[in-house]
Amino acid sequence: MSSNGSMARVRIALDAMGGDFGPPATVPGALAALEANPELDISLVGDADAVTAELSKHPAAMQEQAITVVPSEGKIEDDEHPISALRRKPRSSIATAMGLLKAGEADMAVSVGSTGATMVTAAMTLGLLEGLERPCIGGNFLGLAPNTTVVDLGSNVDCRPSLLLSFAALGVVFSRLRLGIENPRVALLSVGEESAKGNRQVQESHALLRDSHLNFVGNVEGMDFFTDKADVIVCDGFIGNILIKFAEGLGSALAPYLSRQLAEFLPEDQLRQIAGALWTNMNLPRTMGGPLFGVDGLVMIGHGSSTAEGIAGAINTGLMCRRVELVEGFRQELSELHTAGVGTRAEV
Amino acid sequence: MSSNGSMARVRIALDAMGGDFGPPATVPGALAALEANPELDISLVGDADAVTAELSKHPAAMQEQAITVVPSEGKIEDDEHPISALRRKPRSSIATAMGLLKAGEADMAVSVGSTGATMVTAAMTLGLLEGLERPCIGGNFLGLAPNTTVVDLGSNVDCRPSLLLSFAALGVVFSRLRLGIENPRVALLSVGEESAKGNRQVQESHALLRDSHLNFVGNVEGMDFFTDKADVIVCDGFIGNILIKFAEGLGSALAPYLSRQLAEFLPEDQLRQIAGALWTNMNLPRTMGGPLFGVDGLVMIGHGSSTAEGIAGAINTGLMCRRVELVEGFRQELSELHTAGVGTRAEV
């Protein structure tokens, strides 16, 4: 087990302690990613004993040159306050993984641990891209709307309009580079199409977006995630978080509902396959992860309940984000937004 | 066609012009409701020619003692500003129907027209229950969570915490009287269970709800519509509106998705039946309507796209709300809330 430093290789710093399952999910996930992508060098950052114990269950991996164990101390839990936890545990797995990225010893960091802790650690370790106040999470989270990018999914609440404008710009970059949409249409999520509808935040953001250089098409409503009226839908993280979890809960409730409805018509294995496909469709982030938007480095975040498949998926998505130089795209777009005269730090 | 005034009868003032289809949906809907509930007397409020033309297609209805045509002038459209439209069209179908209720000539008003216009007309004509600043809409809108009452679904944006507290009280009454839940658990919709999580509105509302006489169980998240942690989930109407439309859009996208997935396994008629059941499940309000919360009279609101089935469903739901004396329940609960010392008009 040691790193191979050749130039064509991609170095991953994986928070091996993160998520609901820790090493029993992250280690096999890393091995699966490596099998699919032989160019990877993966640092498993975590408690050395726990990680090695898991690795020892995979004898071939012990001989694997591309796997390195990087020891860390402790883990930031979901219910800890991210900033104070980061101070108390400066050598935690997430902080150590992020340190490798900052030091140029990794090309991306990957975590399925506490989203808040990952965001805060990334922002404090790597810094934010110029012109941005907070990082966010965005992406296409609905299998039934695979080309609709939503920002913010990352729980930034009470966002000022200027922040939503920045998030919109980041969403446009994701849509263009990751989903291949040439001139993404940007819309604001509201309760009616008219610009006068919506809460104060939306009304103020509407004016900012309209006057920006983005391809703003106005307000859309809750059904418009599925109607192809916009490629990038912008909302406060309070709503984004509720929507992503609502879809998740709905997917979990739908699968057994359908199984009951279909039980008399289909053999069990086909039933399981269809219910499984539906669940995946409602839970894209669990199998593919998503990039953190706006920090100065490539950080992939996966769902806390990710299994090995989810880890491998997040690494795989990270490789695609790296290929299209997503972070560089973010940097350029924020710079354009800034140059266009709409101060992203200005109070509205 | 004339009204039968016997005491046991229930008098409905139906806005016959409302909704996407007008008389071709509302008139057959009224007839279907009448067939199911012979105790009804229904006033069809609308353009006399248009309503009579539709009635003439149903010869038996022309002889029907229980159907009366009440002429009105004009209709408030979805894209009109409700207050100014109400001033410009004081004899519109919705205003006339509400006038019948106010005058004691009807026991309930039913509309599938513009929700905003119905709310404003009801509030201005009937007045609000004491201790309330605005009406709202609540109910169980998810077939997969049939016992979860959500309030506000009625697009009240930027609600003050005191208003959310009032809405919570109304939701509790609906849950108790309409859904038969004895001591409904109330929760606030947020992005985490901890009281410190959420936006400012939620944090302030959390304190108010915690100190109220309601059975407050704390914050819930987007997946908890389906987890039976709470019976009444309280949120700003901005979010409620987005969620209800999101579920609607998702249902519309899911039905064809499933049809494709299942096409090779099931005959077409069974497929149609299952996809149809799913759609209905995701679109409860389209087939059953819901009561307006907080006005001094029983007003039923249905989805604008309601067909005859939706009209009959809204009338039917109205009959159930009347049987349990929902409006009286609302009045008593608001009075208790007021007495308990939490001023529902007070700024927080």
Side-chain angles (χ1 to χ4, degrees):
Chain A
M1 299 190 289
S2 82
S3 172
N4 175 334
S6 113
M7 281 301 288
R9 301 189 71 78
V10 180
R11 298 159 305 163
I12 312 281
L14 174 63
D15 172 3
M17 306 309 284
D20 300 346
F21 308 115
T26 55
V27 170
L31 295 173
L34 187 56
E35 201 173 319
N37 307 281
E39 75 273 28
L40 297 182
D41 281 320
I42 304 182
S43 295
L44 297 169
V45 183
D47 179 83
D49 289 346
V51 174
T52 309
E54 182 59 36
L55 269 175
S56 70
K57 295 179 194 159
H58 310 267
M62 296 295 284
Q63 308 305 320
E64 180 53 75
Q65 294 285 311
I67 296 280
T68 310
V69 177
V70 176
S72 64
E73 283 167 30
K75 173 191 171 188
I76 301 183
E77 304 288 346
D78 262 340
D79 58 359
E80 292 185 271
H81 189 276
I83 295 177
S84 54
L86 183 60
R87 285 201 189 114
R88 267 199 319 280
K89 303 176 181 173
R91 304 204 54 220
S92 67
S93 53
I94 182 65
T96 305
M98 217 60 81
L100 290 177
L101 180 55
K102 173 68 181 174
E105 290 167 31
D107 299 303
M108 78 178 78
V110 178
S111 175
V112 298
S114 156
T115 302
T118 305
M119 287 178 81
V120 164
T121 308
M124 293 179 70
T125 308
L126 307 171
L128 296 177
L129 296 177
E130 197 173 335
L132 196 70
E133 286 169 274
R134 291 197 228 168
C136 69
I137 299 179
N140 48 339
F141 76 100
L142 293 158
L144 290 170
N147 294 315
T148 305
T149 296
V150 185
V151 276
D152 172 40
L153 297 169
S155 308
N156 288 295
V157 304
D158 294 323
C159 292
R160 282 185 293 165
S162 57
L163 192 60
L164 286 185
L165 175 64
S166 304
F167 290 173
L170 299 176
V172 163
V173 173
F174 181 88
S175 177
R176 198 171 58 218
L177 296 183
R178 176 83 182 82
L179 302 179
I181 295 168
E182 204 173 327
N183 185 22
R185 296 158 299 167
V186 178
L188 254 179
L189 186 57
S190 187
V191 296
E193 291 192 3
E194 305 84 346
S195 63
K197 285 210 174 164
N199 57 17
R200 201 177 131 188
Q201 179 194 48
V202 162
Q203 292 186 25
E204 292 177 357
S205 302
H206 188 102
L208 265 193
L209 278 158
R210 194 192 50 213
D211 297 342
S212 76
H213 72 297
L214 301 175
N215 182 13
F216 182 56
V217 296
N219 292 352
V220 294
E221 303 180 69
M223 70 287 257
D224 292 320
F225 290 87
F226 311 95
T227 58
D228 194 33
K229 285 188 185 166
D231 304 303
V232 176
I233 295 182
V234 182
C235 61
D236 191 276
F238 186 75
I239 295 164
N241 179 282
I242 288 170
L243 281 177
I244 199 171
K245 288 176 179 165
F246 182 80
E248 192 181 310
L250 194 52
S252 298
L254 259 177
Y257 164 84
L258 272 180
S259 296
R260 283 193 304 276
Q261 291 272 307
L262 295 172
E264 55 178 308
F265 303 113
L266 290 183
E268 201 170 322
D269 56 336
Q270 280 167 346
L271 201 59
R272 202 175 307 120
Q273 192 195 321
I274 285 173
L278 176 70
W279 189 91
T280 303
N281 212 303
M282 301 292 285
N283 285 279
L284 277 194
R286 294 210 199 197
T287 49
M288 52 183 269
L292 184 55
F293 285 18
V295 293
D296 196 1
L298 183 54
V299 178
M300 299 302 300
I301 293 186
H303 196 286
S305 72
S306 291
T307 56
E309 189 199 0
I311 310 287
I315 292 175
N316 204 43
T317 304
L319 288 175
M320 289 188 273
C321 292
R322 182 166 188 271
R323 212 166 293 140
V324 298
E325 301 186 18
L326 188 71
V327 175
E328 201 43 43
F330 285 154
R331 193 193 317 276
Q332 283 171 18
E333 188 72 33
L334 285 173
S335 162
E336 267 183 59
L337 195 68
H338 208 66
T339 312
V342 186
T344 52
R345 286 180 186 279
E347 189 69 62
V348 176
Chain B
M1 297 188 290
S2 81
S3 172
N4 175 334
S6 114
M7 282 302 290
R9 302 190 69 77
V10 180
R11 299 160 305 165
I12 312 281
L14 174 63
D15 172 3
M17 306 308 285
D20 299 345
F21 309 116
T26 55
V27 170
L31 296 172
L34 188 57
E35 201 174 318
N37 307 282
E39 77 273 28
L40 298 183
D41 281 321
I42 304 182
S43 296
L44 296 169
V45 184
D47 177 80
D49 290 345
V51 174
T52 309
E54 182 60 35
L55 269 175
S56 69
K57 297 179 193 158
H58 310 267
M62 295 296 282
Q63 310 302 321
E64 181 52 76
Q65 295 285 311
I67 296 280
T68 310
V69 177
V70 176
S72 63
E73 285 167 27
K75 173 192 172 187
I76 301 184
E77 304 289 347
D78 263 338
D79 58 0
E80 292 185 272
H81 188 274
I83 296 177
S84 54
L86 184 59
R87 287 202 186 113
R88 266 197 321 277
K89 304 176 183 174
R91 305 205 54 221
S92 66
S93 54
I94 183 66
T96 305
M98 216 60 82
L100 291 177
L101 180 55
K102 173 68 180 175
E105 289 167 34
D107 300 304
M108 78 178 79
V110 177
S111 175
V112 298
S114 154
T115 302
T118 304
M119 289 178 79
V120 165
T121 310
M124 293 179 71
T125 309
L126 308 170
L128 295 178
L129 296 175
E130 197 174 333
L132 195 68
E133 284 169 274
R134 293 196 226 168
C136 68
I137 299 178
N140 48 342
F141 77 101
L142 292 160
L144 291 170
N147 295 316
T148 305
T149 296
V150 184
V151 50
D152 171 41
L153 297 169
S155 311
N156 288 295
V157 303
D158 294 323
C159 292
R160 281 185 292 165
S162 57
L163 192 60
L164 286 185
L165 175 65
S166 304
F167 290 173
L170 298 175
V172 162
V173 174
F174 182 88
S175 177
R176 198 171 59 219
L177 295 182
R178 176 79 182 86
L179 302 180
I181 294 167
E182 205 172 325
N183 185 22
R185 296 158 297 167
V186 178
L188 255 180
L189 185 57
S190 188
V191 296
E193 292 193 2
E194 306 84 345
S195 63
K197 285 211 175 167
N199 57 18
R200 201 176 132 189
Q201 179 194 49
V202 163
Q203 293 187 23
E204 291 177 0
S205 302
H206 188 103
L208 264 192
L209 278 158
R210 192 193 50 213
D211 297 342
S212 76
H213 73 296
L214 300 175
N215 181 14
F216 182 56
V217 296
N219 293 353
V220 293
E221 304 180 69
M223 70 287 256
D224 292 320
F225 290 86
F226 311 94
T227 57
D228 195 33
K229 285 190 186 166
D231 304 301
V232 177
I233 295 182
V234 182
C235 61
D236 190 274
F238 186 77
I239 295 165
N241 178 282
I242 288 170
L243 280 177
I244 198 171
K245 288 177 179 165
F246 182 80
E248 194 181 310
L250 194 53
S252 298
L254 259 175
Y257 164 83
L258 271 180
S259 296
R260 282 193 305 275
Q261 291 271 307
L262 295 171
E264 56 178 307
F265 303 113
L266 290 183
E268 203 171 321
D269 56 335
Q270 281 169 345
L271 200 60
R272 203 177 304 121
Q273 193 195 320
I274 285 173
L278 176 71
W279 191 89
T280 304
N281 212 302
M282 301 292 286
N283 284 279
L284 277 193
R286 295 212 198 196
T287 49
M288 53 182 271
L292 185 55
F293 286 18
V295 294
D296 196 0
L298 184 54
V299 178
M300 299 302 298
I301 293 185
H303 195 285
S305 72
S306 292
T307 56
E309 188 198 1
I311 310 287
I315 292 175
N316 203 44
T317 304
L319 289 174
M320 289 189 271
C321 292
R322 185 168 186 269
R323 211 167 292 140
V324 298
E325 301 185 20
L326 187 71
V327 175
E328 201 43 45
F330 285 153
R331 193 193 317 277
Q332 285 171 18
E333 189 72 34
L334 285 175
S335 161
E336 268 183 56
L337 194 69
H338 208 66
T339 312
V342 186
T344 51
R345 285 178 188 280
E347 188 67 57
V348 175

